[in-house]
Amino acid sequence: MDEPEPADTPFAAVSAQTSKYGRIFQSYLDKSTPFITYRWVGSGVLFVLFALRIFLAQGWYIVAYSLGIYLLNLFLAFISPKFDPSLEEEGMEEGTSSLPTKQDQEFRPFVRRLPEFKFWYAATRAIAIAFLCSWFAVFDLPVFWPVLVVYWLILVALTMRRQIQHMIKYRYVPFTVGKQRYSKN
């Protein structure tokens, strides 16, 4: 009887404002979609600011290491196919392949597991969060940073070697460099 309407509660007002700002943010993201180079340059600048912060402050190495591991994970998802040929091969008969190997077979384009826009958005968000974390002493854990660097480099080398071997075995190229392009006539 005297209960407020659901739209009149403070939670509803906060929820309405949150969704309003969410729509505005999404509209800016949508408008930035065609500007690939500018988006990546902005992310690069943010990463350089983060690297300068870590270098000049001489700390927060665990934050930088965590960011490096996360960016490596994102990059591997970016260069991996959405439909893994090794998993599709298990369900197929001997001697057949899911990818076209001859001229008369159907062409299947490379579809990424993580599209470029989602890769950029996740990477930029992670760099921004890492940059924010580098301003709080609670995240400055005492670690011997050369060990983290060596371990990260070994991790990159091993995972990229495995990924490149997978790309060679199943004959796919996740990049458009060197692929034939057709003009609009």
Side-chain angles (χ1 to χ4, degrees), residues 1-184:
M1 311 279 173
D2 289 330
E3 293 180 26
E5 290 291 320
D8 295 340
T9 63
F11 178 74
V14 170
S15 178
Q17 287 298 320
T18 304
S19 64
K20 174 186 168 188
Y21 290 127
R23 284 191 305 272
I24 292 170
F25 180 69
Q26 186 63 46
S27 73
Y28 283 123
L29 280 179
D30 293 341
K31 290 176 184 176
S32 72
T33 302
F35 304 106
I36 297 170
T37 305
Y38 296 119
R39 287 189 282 119
W40 282 105
V41 166
S43 297
V45 168
L46 186 60
F47 184 78
V48 167
L49 288 174
F50 172 71
L52 281 172
R53 167 73 180 143
I54 297 301
F55 180 73
L56 295 175
Q58 296 292 312
W60 291 274
Y61 301 117
I62 200 75
V63 173
Y65 175 73
S66 302
L67 177 64
I69 296 270
Y70 183 69
L71 292 178
L72 176 64
N73 184 29
L74 286 176
F75 181 69
L76 287 174
F78 177 68
I79 64 172
S80 298
K82 186 173 186 177
F83 306 106
D84 192 1
S86 63
L87 297 176
E88 291 178 9
E89 191 176 77
E90 292 174 3
M92 300 185 83
E93 299 173 10
E94 280 297 316
T96 61
S97 173
S98 64
L99 293 175
T101 56
K102 296 186 177 86
Q103 191 71 7
D104 60 342
Q105 288 183 331
E106 178 185 358
F107 170 73
R108 288 181 37 188
F110 183 80
V111 179
R112 299 180 186 283
R113 185 183 313 164
L114 182 66
E116 183 272 333
F117 185 81
K118 289 183 180 181
F119 175 41
W120 166 79
Y121 182 64
T124 305
R125 188 176 54 202
I127 295 167
I129 290 170
F131 186 70
L132 182 69
C133 288
S134 73
W135 292 96
F136 296 101
V138 71
F139 297 111
D140 188 15
L141 302 176
V143 293
F144 187 59
W145 67 266
V147 172
L148 291 179
V149 171
V150 169
Y151 183 65
W152 187 81
L153 290 174
I154 290 171
L155 193 63
V156 167
L158 291 176
T159 54
M160 289 309 295
R161 190 185 97 211
R162 184 179 56 89
Q163 187 67 30
I164 291 169
Q165 287 174 343
H166 190 268
M167 290 162 60
I168 291 170
K169 181 178 180 182
Y170 294 104
R171 291 179 292 231
Y172 65 89
V173 179
F175 304 108
T176 57
V177 176
K179 291 183 179 180
Q180 184 177 3
R181 293 183 182 239
Y182 298 99
S183 62
K184 297 178 183 176

